[in-house]
Amino acid sequence: MMIMKHHHSILQLLALQSILVFFLLHLYSDRNIETAKYIDYDIPYSLRQSIRAHRQLSLSDTKSSTSHHTTDNAYTIPNLLLIGAQKAGTTSLAQWMFDSGDVCSGEVFPNEPDFYNKETHFFNEQKRYEQGIEFYAKRFEHCSKGNWKWWQLFQPDSKKKSSYIMDATPNTLLHAKKVHTIYNQAGEDALSKLKLIVILREPISREVSLYHHKKAEYLNNPQPNEWHSHIVQNNTFLTFDEYVDSHLIKILSQKKKRVDGIYVYQLKKWLTYFERKNLLILSYDELSRSPERVQNLVREFLGVKLSGCLKYWNAVTSSDEGTCASSSRHERSGYTVSEYSYSVLNPIFEQYNEELYQFLEDNQYTFPRFEKIAIERG
């Protein structure tokens, strides 16, 4: 008798699962089929497999008729860019915004790394940029069809498009002109409505953080001619002092206007092409010290009450602590720099930092001075 009841329960579960699969497939068919990827990692594995198989068939059937435009004949490209700076907390900020459900991320295409859902690397990679606006727009087509979470399937009133579509490529900071060119091509409406967020970090600590990131990248991909390969010489990692002498000094002396940490040049370009009201400038120190304040600044800037909280994110290990950041947990980055490297880098960055503070004040931005990196003594 017990065995019969057990089998009966299993049959009921299987029947229920079949009904749920049918419901999901019906819901995500036709115009909504591409949005199914948003629930892929929020529902049981067996259901994901059925939805994915159905989605692949539907996408192949409708591929020829898919448009790169929305119904008003405008390109579906981001109306929000998190432009940088690299190693200044963009991953933590972006993850919070995407998780809120009000900000739609890009789609990762075959043979692209997973992190391209956060950052498409369109403006900073010439080969991708040369493929034009159609190439860029294709990564965000799904955003025009809705950005739903699995639990919203049973809440019809919450089924809506995201308020914003965001590309959070930090390297975009150096490419204001390219951004203006593409959005001018998309139309005056796209250009005027584009909102920009930048996070600025004390330049020396940013360079130290980037140095450690390059070391981690090399361990994962020890190939020559990669963007991080100059971190190694004779099969040995350079110390930061050696890295300063062999790499940083050359960049700072030859390409000052193309260096992420010389922010004043970059911001002057952005405010040449875009209106001041459309550019929010955040401080990495405040992001670490007062995350709630930074969240409120973003909410006010976007006019959207983004839910959730910021989490501490480690880009080197590709993980977060899973708990909300708070002012009570604020700590310095933990990075230090030798007296030698500080004596070389500080005179260079300090003059540009002073120019930055004056420029921001002239443009009515409230921005705190950078916290200085700790110096190793002796």
Side-chain angles (χ1 to χ4, degrees), residues 207-226:
E207 292 293 352
V208 175
S209 180
L210 183 58
Y211 160 80
H212 287 289
H213 184 83
K214 288 178 178 179
K215 288 176 68 173
E217 286 294 313
Y218 187 87
L219 289 173
N220 288 329
N221 182 24
Q223 300 296 324
N225 302 319
E226 291 289 339

Side-chain angles (χ1 to χ4, degrees), residues 42-110:
D42 290 302
I43 63 176
Y45 178 80
S46 59
L47 299 188
R48 293 205 307 261
Q49 296 302 96
S50 297
I51 293 172
R52 282 173 172 168
H54 183 76
R55 184 177 70 216
Q56 290 301 318
L57 289 173
S58 299
L59 288 176
S60 62
D61 289 341
T62 59
K63 186 175 181 180
S64 60
S65 62
T66 301
S67 170
H68 298 311
H69 308 310
T70 58
T71 54
D72 60 359
N73 202 34
Y75 287 98
T76 304
I77 58 176
N79 54 1
L80 173 61
L81 298 180
L82 179 51
I83 60 177
Q86 190 180 22
K87 307 310 299 175
T90 59
T91 300
S92 293
L93 190 68
Q95 197 61 55
W96 161 59
M97 295 170 72
F98 289 140
D99 286 347
S100 73
D102 278 306
V103 180
C104 184
S105 62
E107 183 175 357
V108 179
F109 278 43

Side-chain angles (χ1 to χ4, degrees), residues 47-308:
L47 299 188
R48 293 205 307 261
Q49 296 302 96
S50 297
I51 293 172
R52 282 173 172 168
H54 183 76
R55 184 177 70 216
Q56 290 301 318
L57 289 173
S58 299
L59 288 176
S60 62
D61 289 341
T62 59
K63 186 175 181 180
S64 60
S65 62
T66 301
S67 170
H68 298 311
H69 308 310
T70 58
T71 54
D72 60 359
N73 202 34
Y75 287 98
T76 304
I77 58 176
N79 54 1
L80 173 61
L81 298 180
L82 179 51
I83 60 177
Q86 190 180 22
K87 307 310 299 175
T90 59
T91 300
S92 293
L93 190 68
Q95 197 61 55
W96 161 59
M97 295 170 72
F98 289 140
D99 286 347
S100 73
D102 278 306
V103 180
C104 184
S105 62
E107 183 175 357
V108 179
F109 278 43
N111 301 318
E112 292 181 343
D114 290 342
F115 63 83
Y116 271 34
N117 71 323
K118 174 209 169 209
E119 46 196 82
T120 61
H121 290 273
F122 175 70
F123 297 103
N124 66 299
E125 293 189 10
Q126 190 62 25
K127 289 183 179 180
R128 292 170 71 82
Y129 181 75
E130 288 173 353
Q131 296 182 65
I133 192 170
E134 293 279 344
F135 175 86
Y136 191 46
K138 187 178 293 186
R139 275 129 187 88
F140 303 96
E141 284 178 345
H142 61 277
C143 293
S144 66
K145 300 177 176 63
N147 180 24
W148 308 339
K149 299 295 184 181
W150 73 270
W151 43 264
Q152 292 175 312
L153 298 174
F154 306 100
Q155 301 176 12
D157 292 340
S158 66
K159 295 176 183 177
K160 62 178 183 177
K161 295 180 184 178
S162 299
S163 300
Y164 285 93
I165 302 171
M166 183 171 73
D167 176 5
T169 307
N171 315 74
T172 305
L173 180 61
L174 303 178
H175 302 284
K177 184 176 181 180
K178 285 183 177 180
V179 172
H180 183 269
T181 298
I182 289 295
Y183 279 81
N184 189 49
Q185 183 180 346
E188 184 178 344
D189 198 42
L191 191 62
S192 63
K193 290 184 177 180
L194 176 63
K195 293 203 171 187
L196 307 160
I197 299 177
V198 64
I199 312 174
L200 306 182
R201 180 178 185 175
E202 192 279 317
I204 299 178
S205 63
R206 195 199 74 84
E207 292 293 352
V208 175
S209 180
L210 183 58
Y211 160 80
H212 287 289
H213 184 83
K214 288 178 178 179
K215 288 176 68 173
E217 286 294 313
Y218 187 87
L219 289 173
N220 288 329
N221 182 24
Q223 300 296 324
N225 302 319
E226 291 289 339
W227 69 276
H228 52 263
S229 59
H230 54 259
I231 204 73
V232 168
Q233 284 186 5
N234 300 322
N235 297 318
T236 303
F237 281 121
L238 297 174
T239 65
F240 185 72
D241 287 351
E242 293 169 336
Y243 173 75
V244 168
D245 285 337
S246 66
H247 183 71
L248 271 185
I249 292 300
K250 293 178 182 177
I251 293 177
L252 292 171
S253 62
Q254 297 174 12
K255 302 178 180 178
K256 289 181 179 178
K257 296 184 180 181
R258 300 287 294 170
V259 176
D260 298 66
I262 302 181
Y263 307 121
V264 65
Y265 283 131
Q266 311 310 327
L267 294 183
K268 283 181 178 179
K269 289 181 181 179
W270 285 98
L271 290 186
T272 296
Y273 292 112
F274 299 93
E275 294 186 55
R276 182 220 173 275
K277 67 178 182 179
N278 288 345
L279 174 63
L280 175 66
I281 301 175
L282 301 174
S283 162
Y284 173 84
D285 295 328
E286 285 195 329
L287 185 71
S288 303
R289 182 173 57 247
S290 306
E292 298 92 345
R293 167 177 159 73
V294 170
Q295 285 181 282
N296 288 331
L297 288 172
V298 172
R299 289 169 177 142
E300 182 180 357
F301 177 65
L302 299 180
V304 177
K305 190 176 180 179
L306 302 176
S307 61

